[in-house]
Amino acid sequence: MRIDHDVWVRRFVLTIRCPDRTGIVAAVTGFIASHGGWVVEAAQHGDLTTGQFFQRIEVLAESLPFGPEDFGRLFADVASQFELEWHLSDTDVRKRVVVLVSREDHCLADLLHRWRSGDLACEIPAVISNHPDLRQLVEWHGIDFFHVPVMPENKVEAFAKVVSLVDAARADVLVLARYMQVLPADVCARYPGRIINIHHSFLPSFAGARPYRQAFERGVKLIGATCHYVTAALDAGPIIEQDTSRIDHGDSVEDLLRIGRDIERSVLARGLRWHLEDRVLLNGNRTVVFT
């Protein structure tokens, strides 16, 4: 078989988590090889602190004599023997992303550009916002925009509407692209490991309003951002990606805002891409990221 590197090649991506023990790699790769599967990428990690094993394998789809349905049936014996929690995705089936946003547009605009240019391999069927400000930007991209106001007196009804829109869009993942509302615990529990947030994260950390102003007033030398999964514990979910940038005494609040937004855009895009490519595996409140 010859791979043409100038064309898209369909692959199956197998991800695995299980109790660590001898023979897992041999059994999984042996199963693939026994059916003629061509592995084009593989990564693994054994966590000595939790005793868990993690693996990600990409296989050329055309090298196997069966599709995802038969894969599961034939793989069942290996999965049972090693107590595997496993998932197989097809790169020809793009994941569906619903974006939640408020008024700030820098992360949303960046994601829409990356999606439109093909840099992010996904579908974006809908954008939901608690403000109407970004409707024109979203609809210009041919994407449905839903305005769902969230007020103290209507939060239960508002988030019930958000959930109905997310489910109607058949979303695989939700992205909070500077969505300035705290998701209720029941919403977080409904989509475990499927809600991604971008959070301005400073060293030291500044909570509450106007974090860049607080950082400026404290004279920080590093600012940054954190991309993480959302849980009921506010801003405490498993971290996917982080980055920082060095600043100095000559930078103004406006400079910090500009630099911070750049970091937020890039960190969110990387975190989402890795999720879409099944490169992020949950390990308790931590993650294993095969980049």
Side-chain angles (χ1 to χ4, degrees):
M1 182 185 301
R2 179 182 178 276
I3 301 176
D4 186 344
H5 295 283
D6 294 326
V7 299
W8 173 255
V9 179
R10 181 187 181 197
R11 286 151 291 146
F12 296 143
V13 181
L14 175 66
T15 54
I16 288 170
R17 171 183 169 169
C18 64
D20 204 354
R21 55 177 281 194
T22 302
I24 302 169
V25 175
V28 173
T29 56
F31 168 82
I32 294 170
S34 70
H35 293 283
W38 185 344
V39 174
V40 292
E41 184 177 330
Q44 64 197 49
H45 171 67
D47 189 330
L48 296 178
T49 61
T50 63
Q52 293 292 300
F53 176 81
F54 304 86
Q55 188 173 38
R56 179 185 183 276
I57 300 177
E58 287 190 19
V59 184
L60 289 184
E62 64 183 61
S63 69
L64 291 171
F66 45 73
E69 299 80 9
D70 287 332
F71 185 101
R73 177 177 57 82
L74 296 168
F75 192 58
D77 288 344
V78 175
S80 176
Q81 179 184 354
F82 291 93
E83 302 176 76
L84 305 185
E85 296 177 23
W86 65 276
H87 175 73
L88 187 76
S89 63
D90 184 340
T91 59
D92 270 7
V93 180
R94 294 194 169 190
K95 293 182 175 65
R96 297 172 64 83
V97 178
V98 168
V99 182
L100 279 69
V101 67
S102 290
R103 284 194 167 108
E104 293 190 59
D105 65 357
H106 58 288
C107 286
L108 172 65
D110 182 70
L111 293 179
L112 293 178
H113 169 73
R114 293 174 188 268
W115 164 76
R116 191 177 182 88
S117 67
D119 187 42
L120 281 176
C122 64
E123 301 293 341
I124 305 180
V127 172
I128 303 170
S129 179
N130 56 323
H131 296 283
D133 304 48
L134 301 178
R135 178 183 295 277
Q136 185 176 2
L137 170 65
V138 172
E139 292 183 344
W140 183 87
H141 285 81
I143 296 171
D144 290 335
F145 179 89
F146 298 96
H147 175 213
V148 182
V150 181
M151 306 295 181
E153 64 275 12
N154 81 330
K155 283 194 173 183
V156 173
E157 296 81 3
F159 281 109
K161 177 63 174 177
V162 168
V163 166
S164 70
L165 290 170
V166 168
D167 290 346
R170 295 178 289 113
D172 296 297
V173 57
L174 284 66
V175 176
L176 310 187
R178 299 295 296 175
Y179 183 63
M180 307 307 290
Q181 293 289 327
V182 177
L183 297 187
D186 61 321
V187 176
C188 298
R190 187 181 182 90
Y191 309 107
R194 294 169 55 197
I195 309 175
I196 294 175
N197 185 37
I198 187 65
H199 177 65
H200 57 78
S201 176
F202 300 113
L203 302 174
S205 173
F206 295 97
R210 306 178 74 188
Y212 288 99
R213 166 63 67 176
Q214 295 181 59
F216 174 78
E217 291 174 350
R218 285 286 302 276
V220 301
K221 305 307 179 191
L222 288 172
I223 60 173
T226 299
C227 177
H228 66 93
Y229 289 115
V230 174
T231 63
L234 183 61
D235 296 328
I239 292 170
I240 304 170
E241 171 65 339
Q242 294 177 297
D243 203 356
T244 59
S245 181
R246 181 163 291 280
I247 59 173
D248 64 29
H249 58 274
D251 290 313
S252 65
V253 175
E254 291 73 21
D255 291 328
L256 268 62
L257 282 165
R258 172 179 52 79
I259 296 167
R261 287 169 179 160
D262 281 345
I263 303 170
E264 290 172 14
R265 280 189 284 257
S266 61
V267 168
L268 179 59
R270 287 199 297 271
L272 177 57
R273 178 181 295 108
W274 294 338
H275 178 92
L276 294 173
E277 295 177 353
D278 297 296
R279 296 184 181 276
V280 187
L281 281 68
L282 289 172
N283 183 17
N285 199 48
R286 297 184 292 142
T287 58
V288 174
V289 184
F290 294 121
T291 58

